[in-house]
Structure formats: structure tokens, C-alpha cells
């Protein structure tokens, strides 16, 4: 698919709402077309355009599928779905030239399973007054137990269960050697909630052919209703601003006493979150002192995986670690459709001095005031690539005057890091900001290079002229410059009084 670079857009809809566009096939036109975009809807805000073609849905190539099959995939995605999209002109040109749009490049393989290979699925259900909404069948001629009579719109259907899915586990217990009656009893004894592991026919055949044993460790967590949270934090002058505690009778390390306005609060840490991992290292079996040491080794920045009580209970019921979610997110960092884009040769640029190069490797702090026409840009979400990025900056609009440019990567919104936030979360932050907005952004090449060097992008990288802003009538230019300069260039880094991450004992020495 050389020369054709699809864009990847991830959409999330609210309960009772749609994604904000129609998917159509039309006489005389090839492919699955995007039509009737709802102004202000998720699709339009994310940058979808009328007439563009959908190539993939959640990684599955759909260009050769029927309309009804593609619609089913989108419907079964739940509240979130990811599309690979090609603009109309490129699509027609590719078809005319006989290009293979499926992108046949090889995909990375982990433990014998490719990232784009089919996966079993974990489904979590809470019983309603009418039950779970499915029946179970077993046939002597077939090995296993299969889902049947899945009630449309019922509990099981909403949880991702499909007709003829094969049941492998109930609440973390394999049912391969059970009788039909024993499986039914397990479901009855489970009470009001149930975590099951399922495979559809295609996935089942795939693993049988490869002679790979199927277990929850291979599953996708995308159907689970409660999500662990990935938290990125940069240490403040008083540490991270929360305590970490252990409690009698409870397993794990829990967050407590979160300081107002601290890095922990701004990053989204909640009271009594359970800490699952620090910088990708699971800490469930670690002592308090070992966790403290892990924080020490993180330096001034850390990435945490945490779960709230409801999410924790759900994963424990299925005897699955929330690391499954974390690893799945890590796997999605380089979608196959972007392999070509990542390997494109860098355009030849005029040589620059070392000093000029240092000046280039900085983010921008853009401050803008909303006008009657809004801020004048679109926010696009890309799953697993660079988070959120700027698109369709209106010439002369608030964003344009503030220095925002197409393809700028959004790092912070109003001082809060959003690199791991969902598209909906960032949109909501922007909407709730009122009439003014401050964004820390970086050009895509700057963002990629800083990340490759392991540099955390914060305001500390700003220089005297590394920010752009729009002055309103009630914001004098002098006071605004002074305030930004203090934020961007502290004369000397403040000496941390204590590294407050742990309650009883996480006062890490300086």
C-alpha cells in the first residue's frame, strides 16, 4: 500500500448516542463510505470527512466485506471503535491502480501470537431481573459448551457475547472437563455477576491449528465494562502528593490522602485506588519497601497502572491481572497501518547548528480565548499512536493566532497531562475550560524525537519564546508574560522537601 497512508481515528459515544455518521454503500461507488456527518458529533469532531472510505474496523480489514458485516462489527464494538480511513481521492486512485489496500506487511509476534491475530474475549455480566440473557448448549458430536439464545439487547449481548461462542472459563475456572450440568451449576452458584472467557469459531479454529492452549492470558479486555487507568505523572516540589498504604485483611497497595492540586490529583489518582504496576512492573507481590524502591528508580517521572474498587473486584472475579489491559494497550502502540508511515525516509532539511536544533526540540504553550466561532480547530484521536492531535486549524481563528498548527500533538490541557487520556476525556476538558484554554503541544517530529530520547515533555522544556498566546482585553500583556516565564523557566529547580507518595513510609530520601 505504498504511497497511501490511512489515518486512524478512535471514537467513543455516550450511552444513548451514536458515533455521528452514516456508513453506506452506494451504487456506482466502491467501498464503505462515510456520509451524513453530524456537526459536533464524535465523528465530525475527530476529523472524519464525507466520502472517505473505511478500510479497517478495530484492526479488521473490511473493504471486501458486505455492508451488513461491517455494521455488525461496529455495533458489537460497544461504546468505542477504531477506524482506519482513507480519503476519497486516494481510495479511488488505489483501486484504479489495483493496489492491495489490506496492507500485507508482516506484524510483530509475541509468544507465537501476532498482535493482529484473533483473540479470545473476556466478558463480564451483572444479572438483571430477567437473568443473564443467554442459554448454553452442548452436543455430543461437538466438544465444548456453546452460547445460544443470546437475547438481543440483553445483559450477555451488551457484554459482547455472540451466538455460538464457545465457553472456556467461568470466573477463572476452566470448564473443559465439566459436564453440562456442572457448568450450569457453576453459573447458578456465581450469583449476580459472572466473568467468562469465550472464543468465536474463527478464533477457536486459529488456536487449534497452531496447537496453542487458550487461556485468559491471551484474551482481549476490550469488552470489559470497567477499565484500569494508566497514569503518567511528573514529580512536583513536594513529591507526587499522595500516600501509599497497606491495610490489614486487604491485598495490595492503596492510594490515600491525595493533596489538592498535586501531580497525583491532576493526573487522576483517586482515593483508595489499588496500585497494580509502576513503569510496567507489577507490584502485587512486592513489599512496601520494594514499591518505594521502584518509585525511587523512576526518577522524576512515573507511569502507574491503577484500578478502582469496582474494576479491581471484576478482575479478581475472573482471576485475571489488570496487567492484561496494560499489555494490550502497549501492544497497540504501533498499528500495522502505520508501519509504512513510520519507516518513510525523513525529508531532506537544511543543516542547522546545534543551538538551533536545541531550540527546535521544544513544545509550545498556546493560550487562546474562545470567540463566537469557538476555538477554531478539531481534536483528532488516534488509538495507540500519539494520543490526541490538532487538525483543521481555522486560518485567523483563535487557535491559529495562538500558534496551534495541524498535526501538533496535545501533551497538556490546562496543566493536566493528557497523553494517556481518551478522546472523550480530552474533549470534555476542553469544553469545561470555559472561555479560555491553555494547551501544551509539540510538533509531531519534535514529539517523536523527544520520546525517542526518553524525555518527558513538560513546561520545563519551554524557553522564553517557546509559547504562543492570545491576549484578551482583560489580560495585560506584561502580567501574562511574567506568569508564563515563571512557569517555564524557574531559575533553579525547587528542592523537594519530601517525596510524598506513601502514607506510612513512602517519604523517599532525596
Amino acid at each position: 500500500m505504498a504511497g497511501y497512508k490511512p489515518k486512524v481515528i478512535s471514537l467513543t459515544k455516550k450511552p444513548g448516542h451514536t458515533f455521528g455518521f452514516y456508513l453506506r454503500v452506494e451504487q456506482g461507488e466502491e467501498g464503505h463510505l462515510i456520509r451524513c456527518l453530524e456537526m459536533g458529533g464524535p465523528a465530525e469532531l475527530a476529523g472524519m470527512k464525507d466520502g472517505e472510505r473505511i478500510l479497517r474496523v478495530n484492526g479488521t480489514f473490511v473493504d471486501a466485506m458486505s455492508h451488513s458485516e461491517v455494521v455488525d462489527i461496529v455495533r458489537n464494538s460497544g461504546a468505542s471503535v477504531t477506524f482506519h480511513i482513507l480519503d476519497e481521492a486516494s481510495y479511488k486512485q488505489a483501486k484504479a491502480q489495483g493496489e492491495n489496500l489490506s496492507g500485507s506487511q508482516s506484524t510483530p509476534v509475541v509468544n507465537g501470537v501476532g498482535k493482529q491475530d484473533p483473540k479470545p474475549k473476556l466478558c463480564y455480566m451483572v444479572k438483571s431481573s430477567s437473568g443473564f440473557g443467554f442459554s448454553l448448549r452442548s452436543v455430543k458430536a461437538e466438544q465444548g459448551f456453546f452460547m445460544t439464545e443470546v437475547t438481543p439487547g440483553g445483559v450477555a449481548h451488551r457484554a459482547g457475547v455472540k451466538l455460538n461462542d464457545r465457553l472456556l472459563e467461568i470466573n477463572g475456572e476452566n470448564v473443559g472437563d465439566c459436564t453440562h450440568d456442572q457448568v450450569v451449576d457453576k453459573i447458578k452458584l456465581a450469583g449476580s455477576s459472572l466473568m467468562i472467557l469465550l472464543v468465536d469459531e474463527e478464533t477457536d479454529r486459529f488456536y487449534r491449528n497452531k496447537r496453542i492452549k487458550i487461556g485468559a492470558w491471551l484474551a482481549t479486555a476490550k469488552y470489559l465494562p470497567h477499565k484500569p487507568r494508566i497514569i503518567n505523572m511528573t514529580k512536583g516540589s513536594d513529591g507526587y502528593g499522595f500516600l501509599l498504604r497497606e491495610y490489614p485483611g486487604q491485598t495490595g497497595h492503596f492510594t490515600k490522602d491525595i493533596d489538592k492540586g498535586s501531580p497525583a490529583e491532576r493526573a487522576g489518582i483517586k482515593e483508595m485506588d489499588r496500585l497494580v504496576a509502576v513503569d510496567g512492573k507489577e507490584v502485587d507481590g512486592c513489599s512496601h519497601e520494594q514499591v518505594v524502591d521502584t518509585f525511587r528508580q523512576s526518577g522524576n517521572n512515573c507511569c502507574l497502572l491503577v484500578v478502582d474498587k469496582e474494576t479491581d473486584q471484576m478482575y479478581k472475579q475472573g482471576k485475571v491481572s489488570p496487567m492484561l489491559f496494560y499489555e494490550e494497550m502497549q501492544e497497540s502502540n504501533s498499528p500495522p497501518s502505520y508501519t509504512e508511515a513510520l519507516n518513510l525516509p525523513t525529508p531532506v532539511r537544511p543543516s542547522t547548528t546545534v543551538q538551533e536544533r536545541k531550540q527546535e526540540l521544544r513544545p509550545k504553550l498556546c493560550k487562546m480565548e474562545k470567540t463566537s466561532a469557538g476555538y477554531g480547530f478539531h481534536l483528532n484521536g488516534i488509538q495507540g499512536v500519539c494520543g490526541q492531535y490538532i487538525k483543521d486549524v481555522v486560518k485567523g481563528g483563535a487557535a491559529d493566532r495562538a500558534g496551534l498548527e495541524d498535526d501538533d500533538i496535545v501533551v497538556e490541557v490546562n496543566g493536566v497531562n493528557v497523553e494517556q487520556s481518551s478522546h472523550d476525556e480530552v474533549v470534555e476538558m476542553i469544553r469545561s475550560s470555559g472561555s479560555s484554554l491553555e494547551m501544551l503541544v509539540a510538533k509531531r517530529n519534535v514529539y517523536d524525537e523527544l520520546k525517542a530520547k526518553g524525555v518527558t515533555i513538560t513546561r520545563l522544556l519551554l524557553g522564553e519564546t517557546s509559547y504562543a498566546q492570545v491576549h484578551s482585553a482583560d489580560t495585560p500583556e506584561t502580567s501574562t508574560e511574567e506568569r508564563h516565564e515563571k512557569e517555564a523557566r524557574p531559575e533553579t529547580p525547587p528542592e523537594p522537601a519530601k517525596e510524598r507518595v506513601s502514607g506510612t513510609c513512602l517519604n523517599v530520601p532525596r
Side-chain angles (χ1 to χ4, degrees), residues 6 86 126 159 182 295 329 348 357 387 415 433 445 477:
L86 196 61
V126 177
Q182 286 172 331
F295 272 98
M329 292 300 100
V348 177
R357 187 68 187 138
S433 66
N445 65 311
E477 184 171 335

Side-chain angles (χ1 to χ4, degrees), residues 14-268:
K14 294 179 180 178
H17 290 68
T18 68
F19 290 118
F21 74 98
Y22 282 89
L23 182 65
R24 288 185 173 170
V25 289
E26 297 176 358
Q27 188 171 1
E29 296 283 355
E30 289 187 279
H32 302 282
L33 289 84
I34 294 168
R35 293 295 194 202
C36 303
L37 286 155
E38 175 191 338
M39 292 304 294
E44 191 266 338
L45 290 174
M48 280 188 174
K49 305 292 184 188
D50 186 76
E52 289 180 328
R53 301 316 201 263
I54 292 177
L55 300 183
R56 292 179 181 271
V57 180
N58 295 333
T60 300
F61 184 69
V62 299
D63 190 56
M65 290 185 180
S66 69
H67 177 72
S68 59
E69 287 175 317
V70 181
V71 170
D72 281 343
I73 294 175
V74 175
R75 280 179 179 159
N76 292 327
S77 298
S80 297
V81 62
T82 300
F83 297 102
H84 286 59
I85 296 168
L86 196 61
D87 66 89
E88 184 172 17
S90 296
Y91 181 86
K92 288 184 174 181
Q93 185 178 2
K95 284 290 186 179
Q97 294 175 350
E99 289 281 352
N100 177 16
L101 291 173
S102 66
S104 59
Q105 65 267 25
S106 61
T107 58
V109 173
V110 180
N111 294 331
V113 180
K115 291 181 182 180
Q116 295 302 312
D117 288 337
K119 290 184 175 185
K121 58 188 174 185
L122 285 164
C123 300
Y124 178 76
M125 295 172 274
V126 177
K127 188 187 293 183
S128 70
S129 57
S130 55
F132 289 117
F134 73 90
S135 296
L136 204 62
R137 70 171 175 85
S138 57
V139 184
K140 288 184 178 180
E142 296 181 82
Q143 182 183 2
F145 307 95
F146 299 87
M147 295 294 173
T148 186
E149 297 179 17
V150 179
T151 305
V155 172
H157 183 261
R158 294 196 305 272
V161 177
K162 290 186 181 180
L163 190 67
N164 294 323
D165 281 346
R166 185 162 75 91
L167 177 65
L168 300 178
E169 293 182 6
I170 296 175
N171 289 340
E173 295 183 18
N174 189 284
V175 297
D177 295 328
C178 296
T179 65
H180 184 93
D181 287 344
Q182 286 172 331
V183 173
V184 171
D185 285 342
K186 285 181 183 293
I187 293 172
K188 288 179 179 177
L189 291 171
S192 62
S193 61
L194 196 63
M195 174 85 93
I196 57 177
L197 179 67
L198 301 169
V199 283
D200 59 28
E201 185 178 356
E202 178 192 355
T203 306
D204 201 10
R205 188 186 312 114
F206 173 83
Y207 286 98
R208 286 178 189 272
N209 289 341
K210 285 184 170 286
R211 293 182 172 84
I212 296 175
K213 182 180 178 181
I214 307 175
W217 58 88
L218 293 173
T220 176
K222 69 180 181 181
Y223 294 98
L224 298 179
H226 310 305
K227 309 292 184 186
R229 305 193 314 280
I230 297 174
I231 305 287
N232 283 289
M233 290 191 295
T234 298
K235 192 184 298 179
S237 59
D238 193 27
Y240 292 111
F242 72 97
L243 305 180
L244 194 64
R245 290 187 172 174
E246 295 176 288
Y247 292 92
Q250 295 190 62
T251 303
H253 309 273
F254 297 87
T255 58
K256 191 70 177 169
D257 298 337
I258 298 156
D259 291 342
K260 190 169 180 61
S262 66
E265 185 190 53
R266 293 198 304 270

Side-chain angles (χ1 to χ4, degrees), residues 7 55 60-61 90 109 136 141 148 164 178 202 268-269 271 297 309 326 365 390 395 413 424 478 497:
K7 60 184 176 183
L55 300 183
T60 300
F61 184 69
S90 296
V109 173
L136 204 62
T148 186
N164 294 323
C178 296
E202 178 192 355
I269 294 285
E271 290 285 326
Q297 294 172 17
K309 184 177 180 180
Y326 178 84
L365 187 63
I390 303 297
K395 184 78 172 173
V413 174
D424 267 8
T478 53

Side-chain angles (χ1 to χ4, degrees), residues 202-351:
E202 178 192 355
T203 306
D204 201 10
R205 188 186 312 114
F206 173 83
Y207 286 98
R208 286 178 189 272
N209 289 341
K210 285 184 170 286
R211 293 182 172 84
I212 296 175
K213 182 180 178 181
I214 307 175
W217 58 88
L218 293 173
T220 176
K222 69 180 181 181
Y223 294 98
L224 298 179
H226 310 305
K227 309 292 184 186
R229 305 193 314 280
I230 297 174
I231 305 287
N232 283 289
M233 290 191 295
T234 298
K235 192 184 298 179
S237 59
D238 193 27
Y240 292 111
F242 72 97
L243 305 180
L244 194 64
R245 290 187 172 174
E246 295 176 288
Y247 292 92
Q250 295 190 62
T251 303
H253 309 273
F254 297 87
T255 58
K256 191 70 177 169
D257 298 337
I258 298 156
D259 291 342
K260 190 169 180 61
S262 66
E265 185 190 53
R266 293 198 304 270
I269 294 285
K270 308 293 183 186
E271 290 285 326
M272 292 303 292
D273 278 342
R274 184 171 72 83
L275 180 64
V276 178
V278 179
D279 292 335
K281 179 183 178 183
E282 195 165 8
V283 298
D284 272 0
C286 296
S287 68
H288 191 81
E289 290 71 23
Q290 288 172 322
V291 179
V292 171
D293 191 53
T294 304
F295 272 98
R296 276 201 196 101
Q297 294 172 17
S298 296
N300 290 324
N301 304 283
C302 66
C303 176
L304 309 182
L305 181 69
V306 300
V307 287
D308 58 27
K309 184 177 180 180
E310 196 172 25
T311 306
D312 199 17
Q313 288 174 342
M314 179 190 71
Y315 273 88
K316 284 180 177 176
Q317 182 169 340
K319 297 181 174 62
V320 183
S321 169
M323 287 298 290
L324 184 73
F325 171 86
Y326 178 84
E327 289 161 1
E328 190 170 10
M329 292 300 100
Q330 296 302 108
E331 281 182 11
S332 67
N333 279 342
S334 297
S337 64
Y338 270 78
T339 303
E340 292 174 33
L342 294 172
N343 290 331
L344 285 175
T346 305
V348 177
R349 303 176 60 188
S351 60

